[in-house]
Amino acid sequence: MKKEIFGLPMHELQTALAELGFKKFRAKQIYDWLYRKCIFDFAQMTNLGKAERELLQERFSVLPAAVSIVRRLDSSDGLTHKLLLELPDGNAIETVLMHHDYGYSVCVSSQAGCDMHCAFCASGLNGAVRNLTVAEILTQVYVFNAQLYPQQERVSRVVVMGSGEPMLNFDAVFGALQFLHQTDVANISYRNMTVSTCGIVPGIERMQALGLPISLAVSLHAVKPDLRTELMPVNKGYPFPDVIAAAERYARSSGRQVTYEYILLRDMNDSDADAELLAEYLRYKEAGVNLIPVNPIPEKGFYWPDKKRIERFLSILQRHRIHATVRKEMGKDINAACGQLRAAFAEEKYCRK
Ligand code: SF4
């Protein structure tokens, strides 16, 4: 079986190449092809000898060359692009590129599927299939870097907010982020990375122990215990006040403000009383709130609050001096399919069997 080379640390690559009789500097050349020029085919690595290229081809695989783009959705404003990638084992994952005025940002998945069963999310429909590897997480960034390279552009921000709960795949997620941070890889600053959790307290504590200035986002979505448990069953194991306490410790030790994601669901969590209670929980915390009007799911009774309600909710938070914004609606026309592309793909495959 071929050894996966994508995401291999430099010293491991040097060792693997030395065993094949390669000179030490070849590892740096290969890094340059893979991570700067986004060339994933050994045959195109023209500063290596023919025999070396053939040997590399025989011994190693490069994941971005082995994934296929099954579907692509482009938003009508041209700023958001979503890809459904099929991995060599047949699993599929979604990855999204967003073009902001400050650069390109990619939202990556951390697991194929998710076991957290949040009520508003399609990713959890069939549970978690498996954790993604470091190479699979990196590949989600590099399929876009490869497309941007001819324009001399590259991804400068990464958010781990796609399918899966990153804290349940901690080593691979943070391994991939540390790899992307390296100057000879993607050179992405830790400050331009965000990990979003549904509230796994031990994961937040491990993240704190790492001591890296990566931003933390917490999916909160409700501050009434019963409603939060209904929307996010993880609340049974990790009640949200404990999550907020852990996130606050993280904010204090990292110096990074925590972002609380709050999906606004009409007549469920969008009242004045909800806003007051949310402000109460976050008072004097290193916290910001990102309000997200829900993508309507009528069969679950989830509807978009009207504009006035959203503004009123926002103004209550602001009155309490909580930094709050309403999420900029990027690619709204394709956001509606968040997690659903993968679900539809899984269903198709299942039906074909
Ligand atoms: S919202 Fe996140 S944690 Fe919840 S089911 Fe979806 S992917 Fe999993």
Side-chain angles (χ1 to χ4, degrees):
M1 200 175 136
K2 290 185 183 183
K3 184 179 174 71
E4 179 56 55
I5 207 174
F6 207 63
L8 209 59
M10 177 59 89
H11 65 278
E12 283 185 37
L13 179 61
Q14 284 170 340
T15 306
L17 292 178
E19 283 167 10
L20 297 177
F22 282 62
K23 297 239 164 61
K24 205 174 171 188
F25 68 90
R26 292 295 190 207
K28 282 208 168 104
Q29 289 178 319
I30 293 171
Y31 252 50
D32 192 56
W33 285 111
L34 293 176
Y35 305 116
R36 194 176 66 79
K37 299 189 182 111
C38 303
I39 296 295
F40 309 125
D41 175 5
F42 293 119
Q44 292 180 44
M45 300 184 179
T46 47
N47 55 0
L48 306 178
K50 190 166 178 282
E52 287 173 322
R53 283 181 264 157
E54 284 170 1
L55 190 53
L56 288 168
Q57 190 70 46
E58 196 184 299
R59 300 296 178 93
F60 298 113
S61 55
V62 184
L63 188 66
V67 299
S68 43
I69 298 174
V70 188
R71 260 202 93 183
R72 179 188 177 106
L73 293 180
D74 300 303
S75 65
S76 51
D77 59 12
L79 298 177
T80 307
H81 311 278
K82 181 180 287 194
L83 300 181
L84 182 71
L85 304 177
E86 185 173 7
L87 301 171
D89 70 352
N91 272 305
I93 46 173
E94 288 182 18
T95 179
V96 183
L97 177 78
M98 286 155 286
H99 189 183
H100 300 279
D101 42 14
Y102 50 77
Y104 289 93
S105 157
V106 169
C107 174
V108 299
S109 299
S110 55
Q111 297 179 303
C114 185
D115 260 343
M116 297 290 100
H117 303 292
C118 301
F120 43 79
C121 177
S123 297
L125 284 179
N126 302 312
V129 178
R130 66 170 174 83
N131 280 338
L132 299 182
T133 63
V134 170
E136 287 165 344
I137 296 168
L138 296 175
T139 294
Q140 296 174 63
V141 174
Y142 269 88
V143 284
F144 288 120
N145 266 346
Q147 295 176 9
L148 294 170
Y149 183 70
Q151 307 153 39
Q152 296 187 317
E153 297 276 9
R154 55 168 45 213
V155 172
S156 59
R157 276 174 194 258
V158 176
V159 291
V160 188
M161 212 179 262
S163 288
E165 168 47 56
M167 300 304 186
L168 298 182
N169 187 17
F170 192 96
D171 292 339
V173 166
F174 287 88
L177 294 179
Q178 288 175 76
F179 195 78
L180 288 168
H181 174 70
Q182 290 173 208
T183 46
D184 53 359
V185 181
N187 198 19
I188 301 178
S189 150
Y190 285 128
R191 291 175 185 277
N192 288 346
M193 297 178 182
T194 302
V195 172
S196 174
T197 179
C198 65
I200 307 287
V201 172
I204 298 172
E205 290 168 349
R206 274 187 82 184
M207 189 175 165
Q208 184 176 338
L210 272 184
L212 304 174
I214 294 174
S215 299
L216 173 68
V218 172
S219 299
L220 190 58
H221 307 317
V223 279
K224 289 175 184 148
D226 290 349
L227 179 61
R228 188 163 193 270
T229 300
E230 193 187 320
L231 295 175
M232 304 183 73
V234 68
N235 195 60
K236 279 185 262 176
Y238 301 108
F240 70 86
D242 297 351
V243 177
I244 293 173
E248 180 61 11
R249 291 194 294 275
Y250 182 77
R252 302 268 169 194
S253 76
S254 66
R256 309 290 292 155
Q257 188 185 70
V258 172
T259 301
Y260 290 89
E261 310 282 346
Y262 193 98
I263 286 186
L264 284 168
L265 306 156
R266 190 204 296 170
D267 299 332
M268 291 180 88
N269 67 354
D270 65 341
S271 67
D272 287 5
D274 288 304
E276 293 285 352
L277 197 53
L278 177 58
E280 184 66 31
Y281 275 111
L282 299 185
R283 195 187 310 274
Y284 308 127
K285 302 278 194 301
E286 296 295 326
V289 176
N290 193 12
L291 298 172
I292 310 160
V294 69
N295 286 317
I297 312 178
E299 58 279 17
K300 292 200 171 173
F302 298 157
Y303 295 98
W304 203 332
D306 64 46
K307 224 173 160 196
K308 271 197 186 145
R309 184 97 297 278
I310 297 171
E311 279 164 13
R312 170 99 186 140
F313 200 97
L314 180 67
S315 71
I316 292 174
L317 295 179
Q318 289 171 338
R319 182 156 45 77
H320 287 285
R321 300 183 183 284
I322 308 268
H323 180 256
T325 49
V326 179
R327 180 180 284 180
K328 199 174 152 203
E329 288 171 20
M330 288 200 68
K332 188 164 175 284
D333 46 338
I334 62 170
N335 267 348
C338 192
Q340 288 170 3
L341 273 188
R342 185 185 165 276
F345 177 78
E347 201 170 291
E348 259 173 46
K349 282 201 111 177
Y350 180 76
C351 291
R352 269 192 253 133
K353 279 181 188 161

